[in-house]
């Protein structure tokens, strides 16, 4: 089975970007426009609700005796319009309500009654208040958009998007936040080319909030510097260990003693069909071959996460495995494997991806992220960072040269 086509954004995807739905089945999408979802119909109904309330209220007043009133419906219409419509739309809704009430009271000959006059004043007052509420909602929405833009900029500053192709390797990343509208968390990834090969890291900082973000910035900064300067992948890991140790001395409370980062580091030597891996307490990478077979790459020797070196001395040893042309290396955080369905079953990427072939790493990540959301019903328990690297085959390279 084969998933073809380039991804919508070849370099990867960040939170807030539109998400394609490649699916995991063999079914072909039906011809013609896709049917509207229940959510879409619900939005249309809610948006039309103020108008429907006015229409129902007018019919109620026309069809009932004059001592019956639809005042609550008239009052509700501008209040519902306030968070949904523009200021002009809210004001027009209020005007329509007041005009309708005046017209109906004149038609029934009850406008001079005290009860009718009180009802009219009440409805007019609510209409004015609805316009004021609309202005407050609009200002809050503008502030929220500004905060989201700042968060997205911070996300891209801390976790910049890698190039689509680095030293001949095809690269894609994906970050899925567990909390809605959250852009920054404790998961991290980075790709750095060096004289000794392309070096990668995917990690997960203990904790949440700005403390975790600060630790992410420390790890990413130290990794980029070490990847350029250190001769071995083991030395890169030790550099990160020292950087987190220094960070720990500057942090107070529980984090000063228990802060750590699980991480897996990989090195792709130039012109060599292998990959070297150092795993510091992180879920093992997956290797997807061109024929659809895949397997995990667990560490032969257990190692403590970064930042816990004071608990013992375990020298880092990079493990080397074959990385043939056409294969894809997938690094991920535990948000992938800890996603549960309604029955409490964990997501198993080995089972879900078995027999699948992906021509581009971005297609793999889009498919995987969508399947995780389906598995968990959209309620992921933890953030998820994905990084995929594909080594092109010789025929792919020949095709590029011919083009």
């Amino acid at each position: 089975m084969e998933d073809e086509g380039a991804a919508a954004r070849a370099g990867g995807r960040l939170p807030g970007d539109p998400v394609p739905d490649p699916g995991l089945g063999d079914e072909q999408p039906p011809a013609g426009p896709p049917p509207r979802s229940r959510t879409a119909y619900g939005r249309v109904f809610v948006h039309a609700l103020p108008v429907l309330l006015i229409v129902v209220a007018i019919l109620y007043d026309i069809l009932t005796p004059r001592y019956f009133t639809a005042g609550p419906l008239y009052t509700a219409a501008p209040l519902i319009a306030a968070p949904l419509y523009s200021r002009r739309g809210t004001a027009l809704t209020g005007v329509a309500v007041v005009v309708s009430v005046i017209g109906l009271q004149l038609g029934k000959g009850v406008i001079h009654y005290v009860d009718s006059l009180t009802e009219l004043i009440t409805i007019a007052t609510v209409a004015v208040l609805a316009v004021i509420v609309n202005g407050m909602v609009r200002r809050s929405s503008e502030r929220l958009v500004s905060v989201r833009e700042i968060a997205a900029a911070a996300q891209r500053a801390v976790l910049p998007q890698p190039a689509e192709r680095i030293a001949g390797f095809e690269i894609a990343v994906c970050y899925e936040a567990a909390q809605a509208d959250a852009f920054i968390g404790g998961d991290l990834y980075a790709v750095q080319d060096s004289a000794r090969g392309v070096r990668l890291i995917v990690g997960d900082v203990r904790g949440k909030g700005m403390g975790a973000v600060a630790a992410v910035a420390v790890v990413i900064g130290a990794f980029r510097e070490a990847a350029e300067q250190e001769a071995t992948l083991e030395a890169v890991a030790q550099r990160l260990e020292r950087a987190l140790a220094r960070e720990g001395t500057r942090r107070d409370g529980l984090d000063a003693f228990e802060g750590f980062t699980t991480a897996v580091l990989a090195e792709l030597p130039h012109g060599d069909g292998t990959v070297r891996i150092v795993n510091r307490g992180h879920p093992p990478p997956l290797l997807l071959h061109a024929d659809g077979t895949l397997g995990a790459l667990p560490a032969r020797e257990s190692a403590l996460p970064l930042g816990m070196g004071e608990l013992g001395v375990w020298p880092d040893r990079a493990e080397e495995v074959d990385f043939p042309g056409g294969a894809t290396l997938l690094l991920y955080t535990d948000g992938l494997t800890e996603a549960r369905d309604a029955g409490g079953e964990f997501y198993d990427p080995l089972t879900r991806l078995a027999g699948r072939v992906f021509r581009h790493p971005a297609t793999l990540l889009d498919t995987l992220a969508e399947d995780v959301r389906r598995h968990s019903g959209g309620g992921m328990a933890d953030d998820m960072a994905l990084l995929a690297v594909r080594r092109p085959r010789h025929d792919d390279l020949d095709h590029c040269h011919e083009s």
Side-chain angles (χ1 to χ4, degrees), residues 42 193 390 401:
D193 194 10
R390 180 178 182 269
H401 291 317

Side-chain angles (χ1 to χ4, degrees), residues 367-400:
T367 302
L368 190 58
E370 177 62 22
D371 193 48
V372 171
R373 283 190 294 272
R374 290 175 177 173
H375 179 82
S376 62
M380 294 171 56
D382 196 3
D383 292 356
M384 176 180 69
L386 306 172
L387 189 156
V389 184
R390 180 178 182 269
R391 180 188 293 276
R393 293 178 293 193
H394 290 298
D395 53 352
D396 294 335
L397 299 175
D398 293 338
H399 178 72
C400 291

Side-chain angles (χ1 to χ4, degrees), residues 336-348 351-352 375-376:
L336 174 68
T337 52
E338 291 183 1
R340 302 192 191 197
D341 62 10
E345 182 179 354
F346 289 107
Y347 186 86
D348 183 6
T351 301
R352 308 287 289 198
H375 179 82
S376 62

Side-chain angles (χ1 to χ4, degrees), residues 179-223:
Q179 184 178 356
D181 298 326
F183 288 84
I184 304 177
D187 290 8
L188 61 96
Y189 55 76
V191 182
Q192 186 74 29
D193 194 10
S194 72
R196 298 166 183 85
V198 178
R199 288 172 168 173
L200 323 165
I201 183 172
V202 167
D204 187 358
V205 174
R206 173 196 170 275
K208 301 290 183 182
M210 295 309 298
V213 175
V216 168
V218 169
V219 173
I220 294 295
F223 170 78

